[in-house]
């Protein structure tokens, strides 16, 4: 309860600070004080809720701020620079919060349970690993969230894998691969929208390019998972799971309507926020009329997440989400954007940029993009930080080389977006592994898709001598 109050208080404080920054935009003194207060407030909040990634990002931001002061930059100038960079994340944060709402309300409405039910029912036990990869990919594409997918379908796949006696590391790898297939190219993915916003490109053109460049890695991943399959024909847990889903939810084909809305509006190229909102509204209607939920419970679930009774066997499988569940990541995204502004202002990577500028082909430039994204992912411990830092470092270089924004965007999608999930301590990998309770880091060796995407792209660029 106290955590929720803290979240609400901080959200209101952040909104108030933003309004004041706009109202008193001409008052540099007001801006710099509000900026310092905002940074210190988020740091204190991250400490209280033990958000270690947030603490790290805040700490680096403060450290760079101090370095900037030592180098002669004025406090107002530092705050202004950080805030202008941070503003780039606001659109993505709005979408990210809506995705959080979808994660929970799609469970309550029966949408996610129905997807899981039908997927398990139609699954061929002789191709379990492949089925897990495909089901996770479909759900992730529809949900647009690697975290939401691993926290729902991922846990279900792990449960089924235990019943089959499958290797849980391989199952974890199939989920990571499928989750980041969707996280990478779904129209409702926060990362896809982040890249489109920061590179100033069209989301749907990016998705088209991602599907093209991701086709071969996707097929190769599927083939590898077929080769990994245990060949077991005994399924025990899935039958019990089907019964549990039938007892707890009204599993009707109407539950697919929120998904249909997303797909249809995406094809019609309707604004993503409108698609998300309409899908949420439909899911709320299904929750009330099909699942028999009370309006108060529906609204509470939308904001606070979905939870069954603790003694319900499905409790650890279908839970979480909610708009407020995204606040930690939303803060990290905002601060990481501020951080990138200071890094650019201090020209920390200027020497690296000079070396990269010597690149004579798109092939070598993409190699450098991969290298920079790995370093950024390792240092930032967060996918959004890796994306923001890589874009800030490489953007001017691509412009100087006269490479289109669309090519730049797809290079980011084929590097920073997926490779962050291959770093064990990066939140992109740590969260799915934790929520699925994977026994070791072996799952990374089976997360084929996230590594095949950049590898295949490098080979393609080398063959076509770009």
């Amino acid at each position: 309860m106290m955590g929720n109050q803290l979240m609400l208080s901080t959200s209101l404080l952040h909104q108030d600070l933003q309004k004041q920054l706009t109202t008193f935009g001409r008052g540099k003194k007001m801006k710099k004080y509000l900026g310092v207060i905002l940074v210190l407030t988020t740091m204190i909040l991250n400490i209280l809720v033990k958000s270690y990634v947030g603490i790290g990002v805040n700490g680096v931001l403060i450290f760079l701020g101090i370095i900037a002061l030592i180098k002669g930059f004025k406090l107002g100038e530092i705050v202004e620079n950080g805030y202008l960079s941070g503003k780039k994340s606001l659109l993505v944060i709005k979408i990210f919060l809506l995705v959080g709402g979808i994660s929970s309300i799609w469970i309550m409405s029966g949408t996610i349970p129905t997807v899981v039910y039908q997927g398990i029912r139609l699954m061929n036990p002789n191709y379990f690993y492949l089925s897990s990869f495909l089901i996770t990919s479909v759900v992730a594409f529809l949900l647009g969230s690697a975290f939401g997918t691993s926290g729902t379908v991922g846990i279900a796949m792990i449960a089924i894998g235990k019943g089959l006696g499958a290797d849980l590391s391989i199952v974890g790898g199939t989920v990571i691969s499928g989750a980041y297939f969707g996280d990478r190219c779904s129209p409702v993915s926060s990362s896809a929208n982040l890249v489109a916003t920061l590179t100033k490109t069209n989301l749907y053109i990016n998705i088209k390019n991602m599907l093209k460049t991701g086709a071969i890695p996707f097929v190769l991943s599927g083939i590898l998972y077929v080769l990994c399959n245990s060949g077991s024909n005994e399924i025990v847990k899935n039958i019990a799971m089907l019964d549990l889903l039938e007892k707890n939810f009204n599993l009707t084909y109407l539950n697919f309507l929120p998904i249909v809305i997303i797909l249809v509006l995406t094809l019609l190229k309707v604004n993503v926020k409108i698609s998300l909102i309409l899908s949420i509204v439909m899911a709320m209607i299904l929750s009330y009329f099909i699942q028999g939920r009370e309006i108060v419970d529906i609204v509470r679930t939308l904001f606070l997440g979905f939870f069954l009774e603790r003694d319900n066997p499905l409790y650890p499988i279908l839970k979480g989400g909610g708009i407020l569940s995204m606040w930690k990541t939303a803060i990290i995204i905002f601060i990481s954007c501020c951080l990138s502004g200071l890094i650019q202002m201090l020209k920390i990577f200027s020497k690296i940029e000079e070396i990269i500028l010597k690149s004579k082909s798109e092939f070598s430039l993409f190699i450098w993009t991969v290298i920079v994204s790995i370093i950024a992912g390792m240092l930032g411990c967060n996918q959004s930080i890796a994306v923001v830092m890589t874009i800030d470092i490489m953007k001017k270089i691509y412009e100087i080389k006269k490479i289109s924004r669309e090519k730049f965007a797809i290079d980011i999608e084929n590097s920073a977006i997926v490779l962050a999930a291959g770093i064990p301590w990066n939140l992109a990998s740590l969260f799915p592994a934790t929520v699925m309770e994977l026994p070791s880091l072996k799952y990374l060796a089976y997360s084929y898709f996230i590594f095949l995407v950049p590898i295949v792209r490098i080979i393609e660029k080398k063959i076509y001598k770009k």
Side-chain angles (χ1 to χ4, degrees), residues 9-73:
S9 299
T10 304
S11 177
L12 291 172
L13 175 61
H14 180 249
Q15 292 176 15
D16 183 55
L17 287 174
Q18 188 178 341
K19 288 180 181 178
Q20 290 187 53
L21 278 172
T22 303
T23 305
F24 301 101
R26 297 179 182 177
K28 292 185 178 180
K29 186 176 290 186
M30 177 65 73
K31 279 187 177 183
K32 68 182 181 182
Y33 288 143
L34 288 175
V36 171
I37 291 172
L38 178 59
V39 172
L40 294 177
T41 300
T42 52
M43 172 60 92
I44 293 171
L45 184 61
N46 282 318
I47 293 173
L48 288 174
V49 299
K50 297 181 180 180
S51 175
Y52 299 113
V53 175
I55 293 171
V57 176
N58 266 114
V60 174
L61 182 64
I62 294 172
F63 177 71
L64 291 182
I66 294 172
I67 290 179
L69 287 172
I70 294 174
K71 286 197 170 186
F73 290 97

Coordinates of all heavy atoms in Angstrom, one line a residue, residues 9-73:
S9 N 2.4 9.5 -5.6 CA 2.9 10.8 -5.2 C 4.0 11.2 -6.1 O 4.1 12.4 -6.5 CB 3.5 10.7 -3.7 OG 2.5 10.3 -2.8
T10 N 4.9 10.3 -6.5 CA 6.0 10.6 -7.4 C 5.5 11.0 -8.8 O 6.0 11.9 -9.4 CB 7.0 9.4 -7.5 OG1 7.4 9.1 -6.2 CG2 8.2 9.8 -8.3
S11 N 4.5 10.2 -9.2 CA 3.9 10.5 -10.6 C 3.3 11.9 -10.6 O 3.5 12.7 -11.5 CB 2.8 9.5 -10.9 OG 2.2 9.8 -12.1
L12 N 2.6 12.3 -9.5 CA 2.0 13.6 -9.4 C 3.1 14.7 -9.3 O 3.0 15.8 -9.9 CB 1.1 13.7 -8.2 CG -0.2 12.9 -8.3 CD1 -0.9 12.9 -6.9 CD2 -1.1 13.4 -9.3
L13 N 4.2 14.4 -8.6 CA 5.3 15.3 -8.4 C 5.9 15.6 -9.8 O 6.2 16.7 -10.1 CB 6.3 14.8 -7.4 CG 7.6 15.6 -7.2 CD1 7.2 17.0 -6.7 CD2 8.5 15.0 -6.3
H14 N 6.1 14.5 -10.5 CA 6.8 14.6 -11.8 C 5.9 15.4 -12.8 O 6.5 16.3 -13.5 CB 7.0 13.2 -12.4 CG 7.7 13.2 -13.7 ND1 7.0 12.9 -14.9 CD2 8.9 13.6 -14.1 CE1 7.9 13.0 -15.9 NE2 9.0 13.5 -15.5
Q15 N 4.6 15.2 -12.8 CA 3.7 16.0 -13.6 C 3.7 17.4 -13.2 O 3.8 18.3 -14.1 CB 2.3 15.4 -13.5 CG 2.1 14.0 -14.1 CD 0.7 13.5 -13.9 OE1 -0.2 14.2 -13.5 NE2 0.6 12.2 -14.1
D16 N 3.8 17.7 -11.9 CA 3.8 19.1 -11.4 C 5.1 19.8 -11.8 O 5.0 20.9 -12.3 CB 3.6 19.1 -9.9 CG 3.6 20.5 -9.3 OD1 2.7 21.3 -9.8 OD2 4.4 20.8 -8.5
L17 N 6.2 19.0 -11.7 CA 7.5 19.6 -12.1 C 7.5 20.0 -13.6 O 8.0 21.0 -14.0 CB 8.6 18.6 -11.7 CG 8.9 18.5 -10.2 CD1 9.9 17.4 -10.0 CD2 9.4 19.8 -9.6
Q18 N 6.9 19.0 -14.4 CA 7.0 19.3 -15.8 C 6.1 20.5 -16.2 O 6.5 21.3 -17.0 CB 6.4 18.0 -16.5 CG 6.6 18.1 -18.0 CD 6.1 16.8 -18.7 OE1 5.9 15.8 -18.1 NE2 5.8 16.9 -20.0
K19 N 5.0 20.7 -15.5 CA 4.1 21.8 -15.8 C 4.9 23.1 -15.4 O 4.8 24.1 -16.1 CB 2.8 21.7 -15.0 CG 1.9 20.7 -15.6 CD 0.6 20.6 -14.8 CE -0.4 19.5 -15.3 NZ -1.6 19.5 -14.5
Q20 N 5.6 23.0 -14.3 CA 6.3 24.2 -13.8 C 7.4 24.6 -14.7 O 7.7 25.8 -15.0 CB 6.8 24.0 -12.4 CG 5.7 24.0 -11.3 CD 6.3 23.9 -9.9 OE1 7.1 24.7 -9.6 NE2 5.9 22.9 -9.2
L21 N 8.1 23.5 -15.3 CA 9.2 23.8 -16.2 C 8.6 24.5 -17.5 O 9.3 25.3 -18.0 CB 9.8 22.5 -16.6 CG 10.9 21.9 -15.6 CD1 11.3 20.5 -16.0 CD2 12.1 22.9 -15.5
T22 N 7.4 24.1 -17.9 CA 6.8 24.8 -19.1 C 6.4 26.2 -18.8 O 6.6 27.1 -19.5 CB 5.6 23.9 -19.6 OG1 6.1 22.6 -19.8 CG2 5.0 24.5 -20.8
T23 N 5.7 26.3 -17.6 CA 5.2 27.6 -17.2 C 6.3 28.7 -17.0 O 6.2 29.8 -17.4 CB 4.3 27.5 -15.9 OG1 3.3 26.5 -16.2 CG2 3.7 28.8 -15.6
F24 N 7.3 28.2 -16.3 CA 8.4 29.1 -16.0 C 9.6 28.9 -16.9 O 10.8 28.9 -16.4 CB 8.8 29.0 -14.5 CG 7.7 29.2 -13.6 CD1 7.0 28.2 -13.0 CD2 7.3 30.5 -13.3 CE1 5.9 28.4 -12.1 CE2 6.2 30.7 -12.4 CZ 5.6 29.7 -11.8
G25 N 9.3 28.5 -18.2 CA 10.4 28.2 -19.1 C 11.5 29.2 -19.2 O 12.6 28.9 -19.5
R26 N 11.1 30.5 -19.0 CA 12.1 31.5 -19.2 C 12.9 31.7 -17.9 O 13.9 32.5 -17.9 CB 11.4 32.8 -19.6 CG 10.7 32.7 -20.9 CD 10.0 34.0 -21.3 NE 9.2 33.9 -22.5 CZ 8.5 34.8 -23.1 NH1 8.4 36.0 -22.4 NH2 7.9 34.6 -24.2
G27 N 12.5 31.1 -16.8 CA 13.2 31.3 -15.6 C 14.3 30.2 -15.4 O 13.9 29.1 -15.0
K28 N 15.5 30.5 -15.8 CA 16.6 29.5 -15.7 C 16.8 29.0 -14.3 O 17.1 27.9 -14.1 CB 17.9 30.1 -16.3 CG 17.8 30.3 -17.8 CD 19.1 30.8 -18.4 CE 19.0 31.0 -19.9 NZ 20.3 31.4 -20.5
K29 N 16.7 29.9 -13.3 CA 16.9 29.5 -12.0 C 15.9 28.5 -11.5 O 16.2 27.5 -10.9 CB 16.8 30.8 -11.1 CG 17.2 30.5 -9.6 CD 17.2 31.8 -8.8 CE 18.4 32.6 -9.2 NZ 18.5 33.8 -8.3
M30 N 14.6 28.7 -11.9 CA 13.5 27.8 -11.5 C 13.8 26.5 -12.2 O 13.6 25.4 -11.5 CB 12.2 28.4 -12.0 CG 11.0 27.4 -11.7 SD 10.7 27.2 -10.0 CE 10.0 28.8 -9.5
K31 N 14.2 26.5 -13.4 CA 14.5 25.2 -14.2 C 15.6 24.4 -13.5 O 15.4 23.2 -13.3 CB 14.9 25.5 -15.6 CG 13.7 25.8 -16.5 CD 14.3 25.9 -18.0 CE 13.1 26.1 -18.9 NZ 13.6 26.2 -20.3
K32 N 16.7 25.0 -13.1 CA 17.8 24.3 -12.6 C 17.4 23.7 -11.2 O 17.8 22.6 -10.9 CB 19.1 25.1 -12.5 CG 19.1 26.3 -11.5 CD 20.4 27.0 -11.6 CE 20.5 28.2 -10.6 NZ 21.7 28.9 -10.7
Y33 N 16.7 24.5 -10.4 CA 16.3 23.9 -9.1 C 15.3 22.8 -9.2 O 15.4 21.8 -8.5 CB 15.7 25.0 -8.2 CG 16.7 26.1 -7.8 CD1 16.4 27.4 -7.7 CD2 18.0 25.7 -7.4 CE1 17.3 28.3 -7.2 CE2 18.9 26.6 -7.0 CZ 18.6 27.9 -6.9 OH 19.5 28.8 -6.5
L34 N 14.4 22.9 -10.1 CA 13.4 21.8 -10.3 C 14.1 20.6 -10.9 O 13.7 19.5 -10.5 CB 12.3 22.3 -11.3 CG 11.3 23.3 -10.7 CD1 10.3 23.8 -11.8 CD2 10.5 22.8 -9.6
G35 N 15.1 20.8 -11.8 CA 15.8 19.7 -12.3 C 16.6 18.9 -11.3 O 16.5 17.7 -11.2
V36 N 17.2 19.6 -10.4 CA 18.0 19.0 -9.3 C 17.0 18.2 -8.4 O 17.3 17.1 -7.9 CB 18.8 20.0 -8.5 CG1 19.4 19.4 -7.2 CG2 19.9 20.6 -9.3
I37 N 15.9 18.8 -8.0 CA 14.9 18.2 -7.2 C 14.4 16.9 -7.8 O 14.2 15.9 -7.1 CB 13.7 19.2 -6.9 CG1 14.2 20.3 -6.0 CG2 12.5 18.4 -6.2 CD1 13.1 21.4 -5.8
L38 N 14.1 17.0 -9.1 CA 13.6 15.8 -9.8 C 14.6 14.7 -9.8 O 14.2 13.5 -9.5 CB 13.3 16.2 -11.3 CG 12.8 15.0 -12.2 CD1 11.5 14.5 -11.6 CD2 12.5 15.5 -13.6
V39 N 15.9 14.9 -10.0 CA 16.9 13.9 -10.0 C 17.0 13.3 -8.6 O 17.1 12.1 -8.4 CB 18.2 14.5 -10.5 CG1 19.4 13.4 -10.3 CG2 18.2 14.9 -11.9
L40 N 17.1 14.2 -7.6 CA 17.2 13.7 -6.2 C 16.0 12.9 -5.8 O 16.1 11.9 -5.0 CB 17.5 14.9 -5.2 CG 18.8 15.6 -5.4 CD1 18.9 16.8 -4.5 CD2 20.0 14.7 -5.2
T41 N 14.8 13.3 -6.2 CA 13.6 12.6 -5.8 C 13.5 11.2 -6.4 O 13.2 10.3 -5.7 CB 12.3 13.4 -6.3 OG1 12.3 14.7 -5.7 CG2 11.0 12.7 -5.9
T42 N 13.9 11.1 -7.7 CA 13.9 9.8 -8.3 C 14.9 8.9 -7.7 O 14.7 7.7 -7.6 CB 14.1 9.9 -9.9 OG1 15.3 10.7 -10.1 CG2 12.9 10.6 -10.5
M43 N 16.1 9.5 -7.3 CA 17.1 8.7 -6.7 C 16.6 8.1 -5.3 O 16.8 6.9 -5.1 CB 18.4 9.5 -6.5 CG 19.5 8.8 -5.6 SD 20.1 7.3 -6.4 CE 21.4 7.9 -7.3
I44 N 16.0 9.0 -4.5 CA 15.5 8.5 -3.2 C 14.4 7.5 -3.4 O 14.4 6.4 -2.7 CB 14.9 9.7 -2.5 CG1 16.0 10.7 -2.1 CG2 14.1 9.3 -1.2 CD1 15.5 12.0 -1.5
L45 N 13.6 7.7 -4.4 CA 12.5 6.7 -4.7 C 13.1 5.3 -5.1 O 12.6 4.3 -4.7 CB 11.5 7.2 -5.8 CG 10.3 6.4 -6.1 CD1 9.5 6.2 -4.9 CD2 9.5 7.0 -7.2
N46 N 14.1 5.4 -6.0 CA 14.7 4.1 -6.5 C 15.4 3.4 -5.3 O 15.4 2.2 -5.2 CB 15.8 4.5 -7.5 CG 15.2 4.7 -8.9 OD1 14.2 4.0 -9.3 ND2 15.6 5.7 -9.6
I47 N 15.9 4.1 -4.4 CA 16.5 3.5 -3.2 C 15.5 2.9 -2.3 O 15.6 1.7 -1.8 CB 17.3 4.6 -2.4 CG1 18.6 5.0 -3.2 CG2 17.8 4.0 -1.0 CD1 19.3 6.2 -2.5
L48 N 14.3 3.6 -2.1 CA 13.3 3.1 -1.3 C 12.7 1.8 -1.8 O 12.3 0.8 -1.1 CB 12.2 4.1 -1.1 CG 12.5 5.3 -0.2 CD1 11.4 6.4 -0.3 CD2 12.8 4.9 1.2
V49 N 12.5 1.7 -3.1 CA 11.9 0.5 -3.7 C 13.0 -0.5 -4.2 O 12.6 -1.5 -4.8 CB 11.0 0.9 -4.9 CG1 9.9 1.8 -4.4 CG2 11.8 1.6 -6.0
K50 N 14.2 -0.2 -3.9 CA 15.3 -1.1 -4.2 C 15.4 -1.4 -5.8 O 15.6 -2.5 -6.2 CB 15.2 -2.4 -3.5 CG 15.3 -2.2 -2.0 CD 15.2 -3.5 -1.2 CE 15.4 -3.3 0.3 NZ 15.3 -4.6 1.1
S51 N 15.3 -0.3 -6.5 CA 15.4 -0.5 -8.0 C 16.9 -0.2 -8.3 O 17.3 0.9 -8.5 CB 14.5 0.6 -8.7 OG 14.8 0.5 -10.1
Y52 N 17.7 -1.3 -8.4 CA 19.1 -1.2 -8.5 C 19.5 -0.6 -9.9 O 20.5 0.1 -9.9 CB 19.7 -2.6 -8.3 CG 19.5 -3.1 -6.9 CD1 18.7 -4.2 -6.7 CD2 19.9 -2.5 -5.8 CE1 18.4 -4.7 -5.5 CE2 19.7 -3.0 -4.5 CZ 18.9 -4.1 -4.4 OH 18.6 -4.6 -3.1
V53 N 18.8 -1.0 -10.9 CA 19.1 -0.4 -12.2 C 18.8 1.1 -12.2 O 19.6 1.9 -12.7 CB 18.2 -1.0 -13.3 CG1 18.5 -0.3 -14.6 CG2 18.6 -2.5 -13.4
G54 N 17.7 1.5 -11.5 CA 17.4 2.9 -11.4 C 18.4 3.7 -10.6 O 18.8 4.8 -10.9
I55 N 18.9 3.1 -9.5 CA 19.9 3.7 -8.7 C 21.2 3.9 -9.5 O 21.8 5.0 -9.4 CB 20.2 2.8 -7.5 CG1 19.0 2.8 -6.5 CG2 21.4 3.3 -6.7 CD1 19.1 1.8 -5.4
G56 N 21.5 2.9 -10.3 CA 22.7 3.0 -11.1 C 22.6 4.1 -12.1 O 23.6 4.9 -12.3
V57 N 21.5 4.1 -12.8 CA 21.3 5.2 -13.9 C 21.3 6.6 -13.2 O 21.9 7.5 -13.7 CB 20.0 4.9 -14.6 CG1 19.7 6.1 -15.6 CG2 20.0 3.6 -15.3
N58 N 20.6 6.7 -12.1 CA 20.6 8.0 -11.4 C 22.0 8.4 -11.0 O 22.4 9.6 -11.0 CB 19.7 7.9 -10.2 CG 18.3 8.4 -10.4 OD1 17.3 7.6 -10.4 ND2 18.1 9.7 -10.7
G59 N 22.7 7.4 -10.4 CA 24.1 7.6 -10.0 C 25.0 8.1 -11.1 O 25.8 9.1 -10.9
V60 N 24.9 7.5 -12.2 CA 25.7 7.9 -13.4 C 25.3 9.3 -13.8 O 26.2 10.1 -14.2 CB 25.6 6.9 -14.6 CG1 26.3 7.4 -15.8 CG2 26.1 5.5 -14.2
L61 N 24.0 9.6 -13.8 CA 23.5 10.9 -14.2 C 24.1 12.0 -13.3 O 24.6 13.0 -13.8 CB 22.0 10.9 -14.2 CG 21.3 12.3 -14.6 CD1 21.6 12.5 -16.1 CD2 19.8 12.2 -14.4
I62 N 24.1 11.7 -12.0 CA 24.6 12.7 -11.0 C 26.1 12.8 -11.2 O 26.7 14.0 -11.2 CB 24.3 12.3 -9.6 CG1 22.8 12.3 -9.3 CG2 25.0 13.1 -8.6 CD1 22.3 11.7 -8.0
F63 N 26.8 11.7 -11.4 CA 28.2 11.7 -11.6 C 28.6 12.6 -12.8 O 29.5 13.4 -12.8 CB 28.7 10.3 -11.8 CG 30.2 10.2 -12.1 CD1 31.1 10.4 -11.1 CD2 30.7 9.8 -13.3 CE1 32.5 10.3 -11.3 CE2 32.0 9.7 -13.6 CZ 32.9 10.0 -12.6
L64 N 27.9 12.4 -14.0 CA 28.2 13.1 -15.2 C 27.9 14.6 -15.0 O 28.5 15.5 -15.5 CB 27.4 12.6 -16.4 CG 27.9 11.2 -16.9 CD1 27.0 10.8 -18.1 CD2 29.3 11.2 -17.2
G65 N 26.8 14.9 -14.2 CA 26.5 16.3 -13.9 C 27.6 17.0 -13.1 O 27.9 18.1 -13.4
I66 N 28.2 16.2 -12.2 CA 29.3 16.8 -11.4 C 30.5 17.1 -12.3 O 31.2 18.1 -12.3 CB 29.7 15.9 -10.3 CG1 28.6 15.8 -9.3 CG2 31.0 16.3 -9.6 CD1 28.8 14.7 -8.2
I67 N 30.8 16.1 -13.2 CA 31.9 16.3 -14.2 C 31.6 17.5 -15.1 O 32.6 18.3 -15.4 CB 32.0 15.0 -15.1 CG1 32.5 13.8 -14.2 CG2 33.0 15.3 -16.2 CD1 32.7 12.5 -15.0
A68 N 30.4 17.7 -15.5 CA 30.0 18.8 -16.4 C 30.3 20.1 -15.6 O 30.8 21.1 -16.2 CB 28.6 18.7 -16.8
L69 N 29.9 20.1 -14.3 CA 30.2 21.3 -13.5 C 31.7 21.6 -13.4 O 32.1 22.8 -13.5 CB 29.6 21.2 -12.1 CG 28.0 21.2 -12.0 CD1 27.6 20.8 -10.6 CD2 27.5 22.6 -12.3
I70 N 32.4 20.6 -13.2 CA 33.9 20.7 -13.1 C 34.5 21.3 -14.4 O 35.4 22.1 -14.4 CB 34.5 19.4 -12.7 CG1 34.1 18.9 -11.3 CG2 36.1 19.5 -12.8 CD1 34.6 17.6 -10.9
K71 N 33.9 20.8 -15.5 CA 34.4 21.3 -16.8 C 33.9 22.7 -17.2 O 34.3 23.2 -18.2 CB 33.9 20.3 -17.9 CG 34.7 19.0 -17.8 CD 34.5 18.2 -19.1 CE 35.5 17.0 -19.2 NZ 35.5 16.3 -20.5
G72 N 33.1 23.3 -16.3 CA 32.8 24.7 -16.5 C 31.4 24.9 -17.1 O 31.0 26.1 -17.3
F73 N 30.6 23.9 -17.2 CA 29.2 24.0 -17.7 C 28.4 24.6 -16.5 O 28.6 24.2 -15.3 CB 28.6 22.7 -18.1 CG 29.2 22.2 -19.4 CD1 30.2 21.3 -19.5 CD2 28.7 22.7 -20.6 CE1 30.7 20.9 -20.7 CE2 29.2 22.3 -21.9 CZ 30.2 21.3 -21.9

